[in-house]
Amino acid sequence: GKLIKTMFGRGRRIRGKTYAKRGRIKVSTNKKLALSIVPLTTLCLGIWQTKRLYWKLDLIEKREKQINADPSLLPSGPTHEMLEDIQFRPFYIIGTFLHDQEQYMMNRTYDHKPGCHVITPFRRADTGEIVLVNRGWVPLDKKDPRNRKDGQVEGLVTVIGLPRISEDKPNMFLPPNDPRNNTWYYRDLDAIAEHTGSTVGYIESVLDPNIAMPVGGQTILSLKNDHFEYLLTWLVYSLSLMLITSGLGLLSQVSS
């Protein structure tokens, strides 16, 4: 046969007939390497999320055991390290509220209603120490204690609550704490203690059905756990990319 040029380029002679060369799908070595690394990376991320999942499940189990424990007397002279170790475990203290030194943690909601948390120094009867007690939530129109006189309990009382630790300022848009007006936007225990003459101790009281305001039990006890969804996402990505890489490899072999 004769060699004939076609619109597809140079032809070739096969048994006297002319055919156009088939186009080849070529995948360079660098691209093959990249396509291999990406699914491997997503697989590693999936394995990492598996470890994070079991870590979070253990943390949730520990939290449930802590909050369901029987209340015990809060240790005297609590330090930051001690509070971090015992937080979310119920403790009780006996003493009197110093209502004239109330502090207010603003921008707090309850049942989708705006308000604030009332933090009241509490003088312990056994040690004389002054501990900060977050008594709970009140609506803004009840921030003034004169509008919730029934909740301003006097005399010796027992308070059950969960110790908490300080928190950093959540974001740059949050206003700074304003001790001069007894107004706080995030939990800076050292600053609140210095302002009120209290110790480092701080507990968030549980719900007291006998007191309408403040509404106790405002501690967020649930832990968000999205690690299983993240695990599935990374594994699906890894499997999809592996299939794509294998498909490209097969096409390259067939066309060669």
Side-chain angles (χ1 to χ4, degrees):
K2 298 180 179 179
L3 181 62
I4 302 175
K5 290 186 178 181
T6 69
M7 61 181 295
F8 298 102
R10 298 178 63 183
R12 59 178 174 174
R13 192 191 315 272
I14 301 179
R15 294 180 182 177
K17 296 182 180 179
T18 302
Y19 296 90
K21 281 188 177 181
R22 291 176 296 176
R24 296 182 181 180
I25 299 177
K26 293 184 178 180
V27 181
S28 66
T29 303
N30 290 337
K31 289 182 179 180
K32 287 181 180 180
L33 182 61
L35 289 171
S36 301
I37 290 176
V38 173
L40 182 60
T41 302
T42 53
L43 178 61
C44 291
L45 288 171
I47 295 173
W48 176 66
Q49 283 298 333
T50 303
K51 294 181 179 180
R52 295 281 294 174
L53 173 63
Y54 283 108
W55 167 79
K56 182 58 72 67
L57 291 175
D58 289 341
L59 188 62
I60 291 173
E61 183 180 1
K62 179 182 177 182
R63 176 73 56 84
E64 289 177 349
K65 289 181 179 179
Q66 287 176 320
I67 62 179
N68 291 321
D70 294 329
S72 54
L73 183 64
L74 182 71
S76 61
T79 62
H80 289 292
E81 292 76 14
M82 182 189 298
L83 286 174
E84 187 170 2
D85 184 57
I86 65 176
Q87 69 170 336
F88 299 112
R89 190 182 308 170
F91 288 88
Y92 71 88
I93 48 178
I94 302 173
T96 54
F97 282 110
L98 306 179
H99 293 297
D100 59 326
Q101 297 184 41
E102 273 189 357
Q103 307 295 304
Y104 307 102
M105 192 74 67
M106 304 303 296
N107 296 344
R108 298 298 187 268
T109 60
Y110 174 71
D111 198 20
H112 305 292
K113 298 177 182 178
C116 63
H117 287 181
V118 177
I119 300 175
T120 307
F122 184 91
R123 188 184 301 278
R124 295 180 59 162
D126 55 346
T127 64
E129 294 175 318
I130 299 177
V131 179
L132 296 170
V133 176
N134 185 332
R135 300 190 63 206
W137 176 89
V138 296
L140 294 177
D141 61 348
K142 298 288 186 181
K143 177 184 174 184
D144 189 333
R146 292 173 296 183
N147 296 331
R148 46 181 167 86
K149 293 181 180 180
D150 293 342
Q152 301 301 90
V153 291
E154 301 290 345
L156 204 64
V157 295
T158 299
V159 174
I160 300 176
L162 309 176
R164 298 299 308 279
I165 59 176
S166 288
E167 61 182 355
D168 296 326
K169 188 177 181 179
N171 57 72
M172 61 182 296
F173 303 104
L174 198 67
N177 288 329
D178 184 11
R180 181 176 298 180
N181 293 310
N182 300 331
T183 301
W184 308 83
Y185 294 94
Y186 61 96
R187 198 169 55 242
D188 185 345
L189 297 187
D190 287 333
I192 301 175
E194 181 179 358
H195 179 65
T196 59
S198 307
T199 62
V200 177
Y202 170 90
I203 66 172
E204 296 180 343
S205 63
V206 299
L207 180 64
D208 187 344
N210 299 316
I211 299 177
M213 292 287 170
V215 181
Q218 298 300 311
T219 306
I220 299 176
L221 299 173
S222 60
L223 290 170
K224 189 176 181 181
N225 187 7
D226 293 330
H227 296 294
F228 184 70
E229 289 81 356
Y230 295 152
L231 166 63
L232 287 180
T233 299
W234 288 122
L235 291 182
V236 169
Y237 281 163
S238 180
L239 179 60
S240 300
L241 290 168
M242 285 180 182
L243 292 174
I244 292 172
T245 303
S246 299
L248 288 174
L250 288 174
L251 286 175
S252 177
Q253 292 177 6
V254 169
S255 61
S256 60

